Amino acid sequence: KVVELRDGSWMINSRWRGGGRQIHVSKDRGETWASRYDTALEDPQCNAQIMRYGDKLLFTNCKSPTRRALLHLRVSADDGATWSDGLCVEPQGAAYSDMTILPNGDVGVIYEGAGYNTIVFTTVPAPRAAAARKVRIACIGDSITYGLGLADREKESYPAQLQKAFDERFPGKCEVRNFGNSGRGIYLDSMRGRERRGFRWMPEHKAALAWKPDVVVCNLGINDCGEYIKEYTGGRRRGQFRDDYLALLGDYRKAVPRAKLFIWTKLSPLAEGQRFHRSPEPFLMQRDLEEVAKRAGAVGIDMQEPLREEMDEIFARDKIHPSAEGARIIAARTSAAIVPAGIPCGLMPDVDS
């Protein structure tokens, strides 16, 4: 079966021996082909079907290396590089399958039933078809996102605690990844010693884009305070922070046009004793952050108010990086912002409804 990828390449997905699928890709309209064996797509050497569904690929086959059974519908958001665990369409015997998109957007699946003596047709509602993979939530930002200074950042950082919160409320439906990088900011020309400070230059930015997230939560700005004031004193062009931030978010909008964007429009507070405590920069920056959210179609999140009540304890360590309890509060505030806004693309109908 052949399908056209987003870059114009052709991909053939065919049955083969060994319990997997053979993949062939041509970038020159069939003149030459590159082949690979995909063991992640379990298959009992049986006919399957692949087709495009908006910006995703859908694939139906018997998800077993040996048995013609367990017919599944799987989804790929990265043109077949990875696939979801899938939705089981037929738990018993099944063989050849085919698909079509119905006028209302649902997916029609037709397949041979057990014993090859029946033909079965069923429909998969559009939200369930899209939901065959987890919602991807990318947390991008600086050391606060990274979890710098926490005893166990893999469990205590706010993205890790956000994952826990979603697992409790929507088991198995979300995947949260931490793309934080300490010391990073917005300005593309700002330097941190001999290296560029801007997050847009960082490998974490490239990795987040490659992951194709459905939701992006961005916490950046605190490390730009020293440079930001220059937009008012004449050392920088007024609006540069805003424009560089919009360019960063534009990368995600281009990578995943329907992604839902969230940015901290009121940054985490700075405790007494921190260099910029009570300085004007964070407060002046709020206006630009709100303008960025408006122009980018992003949802703004206020991280000042929820962290103020126990600020002395939360920021006791170094006046800027929150404790594990502070990270929990950030995760709770982030979750509270994401859920009412609606997980995008119909991937979680129980939230969207």
Side-chain angles (χ1 to χ4, degrees):
K1 303 298 174 65
V2 64
V3 67
E4 185 172 359
L5 305 182
R6 283 175 289 191
D7 65 358
S9 302
W10 295 351
M11 182 172 75
I12 293 176
N13 183 304
S14 62
R15 60 182 177 181
W16 196 248
R17 297 179 293 273
R21 301 285 294 183
Q22 192 75 7
I23 310 299
H24 314 274
V25 176
S26 174
K27 296 181 179 296
D28 52 16
R29 304 187 68 81
E31 293 292 331
T32 60
W33 296 86
S35 301
R36 62 182 174 86
Y37 188 66
D38 192 343
T39 56
L41 285 176
E42 291 181 305
D43 187 82
Q45 197 175 340
C46 183
N47 184 68
Q49 178 62 292
I50 189 170
M51 72 175 187
R52 181 158 293 285
Y53 184 74
D55 62 349
K56 300 177 176 65
L57 295 181
L58 298 184
F59 177 75
T60 54
N61 82 319
C62 296
K63 190 181 177 184
S64 168
T66 57
R67 298 170 54 219
R68 291 195 170 188
L70 302 174
L71 184 70
H72 274 65
L73 169 64
R74 287 186 267 192
V75 175
S76 174
D78 51 16
D79 276 350
T82 59
W83 292 91
S84 69
D85 290 335
L87 176 73
C88 186
V89 176
E90 173 54 69
Q92 303 301 322
Y96 287 23
S97 62
D98 204 344
M99 287 183 288
T100 188
I101 301 175
L102 302 177
N104 66 353
D106 292 348
V107 177
V109 181
I110 190 168
Y111 60 94
E112 292 179 307
Y116 306 99
N117 54 12
T118 59
I119 299 295
V120 182
F121 179 80
T122 187
T123 60
V124 179
R128 294 191 71 201
R133 74 161 174 81
K134 294 180 180 179
V135 176
R136 296 176 178 179
I137 302 173
C139 298
I140 65 174
D142 51 34
S143 53
I144 294 175
T145 297
Y146 177 80
L148 185 67
L150 295 173
D152 187 352
R153 60 170 291 271
E154 296 293 336
K155 294 182 179 179
E156 296 176 342
S157 67
Y158 102 74
Q161 298 200 56
L162 182 63
Q163 177 73 72
K164 181 180 178 182
F166 276 119
D167 283 345
E168 291 173 352
R169 188 168 182 183
F170 310 110
K173 290 191 175 182
C174 294
E175 181 179 0
V176 181
R177 290 191 184 180
N178 187 336
F179 294 98
N181 186 316
S182 298
R184 302 306 157 191
I186 290 296
Y187 287 113
L188 286 174
D189 60 355
S190 179
M191 301 297 290
R192 185 188 185 203
R194 295 185 177 182
E195 65 179 6
R196 291 164 166 168
R197 184 185 289 276
F199 184 81
R200 203 174 178 205
W201 301 113
M202 297 299 109
E204 286 81 2
H205 174 55
K206 295 180 176 59
L209 288 172
W211 192 44
K212 305 288 186 183
D214 303 297
V215 177
V216 178
V217 183
C218 185
N219 155 42
L220 288 167
I222 280 184
N223 291 314
D224 295 291
C225 285
E227 291 294 318
Y228 182 77
I229 196 63
K230 296 177 183 178
E231 291 197 16
Y232 290 86
T233 61
R236 282 189 175 275
R237 174 180 60 82
R238 183 72 183 99
Q240 184 180 351
F241 175 85
R242 177 199 64 211
D243 293 345
D244 284 355
Y245 207 143
L246 286 169
L248 171 72
L249 296 180
D251 290 343
Y252 293 93
R253 186 66 76 198
K254 182 178 179 181
V256 187
R258 297 181 65 186
K260 196 77 171 179
L261 305 179
F262 296 81
I263 70 169
W264 293 16
T265 46
K266 290 187 178 181
L267 302 176
S268 173
L270 301 171
E272 185 173 358
Q274 205 281 332
R275 176 185 173 190
F276 290 100
H277 176 68
R278 295 193 184 281
S279 291
E281 291 91 332
F283 303 98
L284 292 171
M285 192 181 287
Q286 285 178 16
R287 289 182 291 185
D288 275 337
L289 290 170
E290 290 168 359
E291 181 66 18
V292 167
K294 181 179 179 180
R295 292 194 186 188
V299 177
I301 302 178
D302 177 356
M303 280 300 173
Q304 283 187 11
E305 192 60 35
L307 293 170
R308 283 190 183 281
E309 188 172 342
E310 301 176 17
M311 198 163 82
D312 290 342
E313 294 181 13
I314 290 172
F315 298 101
R317 179 163 41 89
D318 62 4
K319 313 304 181 184
I320 186 170
H321 293 103
S323 62
E325 172 59 17
R328 186 198 64 77
I329 293 171
I330 292 172
R333 182 68 187 91
T334 303
S335 174
I338 290 176
V339 173
I343 298 295
C345 309
L347 296 181
M348 290 176 62
D350 49 342
V351 176
D352 290 340
S353 61

